[in-house]
Amino acid sequence: MRIDIISCQPDLLTSFFTHSILKRAQEKGIAEVHLHDLRKFAINKHGQIDDYAFGGGAGMVMMIEPIDKCLSGLKAERNYDAVIYMTPDGEQLKQPLVNRLSLLENVIILCGHYKGVDERVREKFITHEISIGDYVLSGGELGAAVLADALIRIIPGVLNDESSALTDSFQDGLLAPPVYTRPAEYEGMQVPDILLSGNQPKIEEWRFEQALARTKARRPDLLTD
Ligand SMILES: C[S@@+](CC[C@H](N)C(=O)[O-])C[C@H]1O[C@@H](n2cnc3c(N)ncnc32)[C@H](O)[C@@H]1O
């Protein structure tokens, strides 16, 4: 999968993609992340990419021309399956949407700033609008990082043990069961005996029961969705 992220502050994202699983995915050639500085497509030598909102009011609006130029350059090189705009009024990001998007080959993520982008950008170029939650961030970069991480980690071959992603929360509609590691006893707190028993079918049964109980207690909505 190739992900192109368009931002007016791409530096915010550089270190994020050079660590851990995301770094490994790129080294293995499974994922590519390219950051694009929107200011390189500014309408003048002052680096202007935003302007006052028609109709007045507080806050600047990101202009269509720089975004159009940047997107046109990318689209001239390859076909993109999705052009995603990170926005609080978009579809809320959940695992089923992540799973669907992770199957795509070439994806662009546009990060907004200020009051957001001129509405005509959304009408003309955007195929998916995604929110990472019901709160407002200063820019789309954190959302783009969240989305890219969620997409890349489930691509086959990225995690050392592929079954790991399948047993995470939400993949089977449940929260994940509790996990433990050594030592088996810490300050009087014991790891459940079943996990030390070596009886794999019983361990899986226990994990399922725990996952169900945890989901009922914390996220009953998942069981009715
Ligand atoms: C200050 S916000 C603009 C908020 C916009 N005026 C509104 O009220 O919906 C600036 C940018 O941050 C990003 N952003 C903020 N909150 C977000 C969220 N919950 N999910 C995804 N992106 C978000 C978007 O790219 C947005 O264009």
Side-chain angles (χ1 to χ4, degrees):
M1 168 179 250
R2 174 182 167 120
I3 302 178
D4 289 89
I5 302 179
I6 302 174
S7 159
C8 57
Q9 291 188 308
D11 293 353
L12 286 176
L13 291 169
T14 2
S15 80
F16 183 75
F17 290 106
T18 50
H19 286 90
S20 178
I21 289 172
L22 298 182
K23 180 182 177 196
R24 270 209 317 274
Q26 292 175 85
E27 285 170 352
K28 287 182 183 172
I30 299 172
E32 279 178 49
V33 178
H34 298 268
L35 304 176
H36 304 279
D37 186 353
L38 196 55
R39 289 207 189 271
K40 291 199 177 139
F41 303 88
I43 58 157
N44 56 31
K45 62 179 192 289
H46 307 296
Q48 187 180 358
I49 53 164
D50 60 333
D51 211 331
Y52 295 100
F54 281 125
M60 304 295 276
V61 176
M62 291 174 72
M63 305 172 85
I64 192 167
E65 290 104 311
I67 296 171
D68 189 355
K69 276 196 246 166
C70 182
L71 283 173
S72 303
L74 290 174
K75 286 177 169 177
E77 286 170 24
R78 62 186 51 75
N79 286 327
Y80 283 91
D81 308 302
V83 182
I84 300 168
Y85 175 48
M86 302 310 301
T87 176
D89 61 6
E91 175 179 356
Q92 210 156 66
L93 186 63
K94 297 203 172 152
Q95 195 64 46
L97 177 58
V98 170
N99 293 350
R100 282 200 305 278
L101 293 175
S102 77
L103 301 174
L104 303 180
E105 270 186 22
N106 298 311
V107 170
I108 293 174
I109 305 178
L110 172 64
C111 304
H113 262 266
Y114 321 114
K115 291 303 274 181
V117 296
D118 185 313
E119 189 65 18
R120 291 167 293 183
V121 170
R122 301 172 73 160
E123 283 165 20
K124 187 166 160 65
F125 304 113
I126 302 300
T127 60
H128 297 68
E129 300 186 324
I130 297 181
S131 163
I132 60 162
D134 283 351
Y135 41 79
V136 175
L137 301 162
S138 314
E141 288 73 17
L142 288 174
V146 166
L147 175 59
D149 184 320
L151 293 179
I152 291 172
R153 72 185 298 281
I154 57 167
I155 299 174
V158 170
L159 296 182
N160 288 335
D161 179 354
E162 278 176 29
S163 63
S164 175
L166 298 176
T167 55
D168 284 329
S169 292
F170 308 115
Q171 281 296 5
D172 56 1
L174 298 176
L175 298 180
V179 291
Y180 300 85
T181 186
R182 279 177 283 191
E185 186 267 322
Y186 185 72
E187 293 184 352
M189 293 184 290
Q190 301 283 345
V191 171
D193 287 341
I194 184 72
L195 295 178
L196 309 174
S197 68
N199 184 338
Q200 211 54 42
K202 285 277 170 213
I203 290 174
E204 293 315 323
E205 201 178 304
W206 179 87
R207 284 183 170 148
F208 177 72
E209 284 162 6
Q210 292 289 317
L212 194 58
R214 186 162 275 199
T215 309
K216 272 186 190 155
R218 298 182 183 193
R219 291 291 306 276
D221 56 299
L222 293 177
L223 299 171
T224 50
D225 274 356

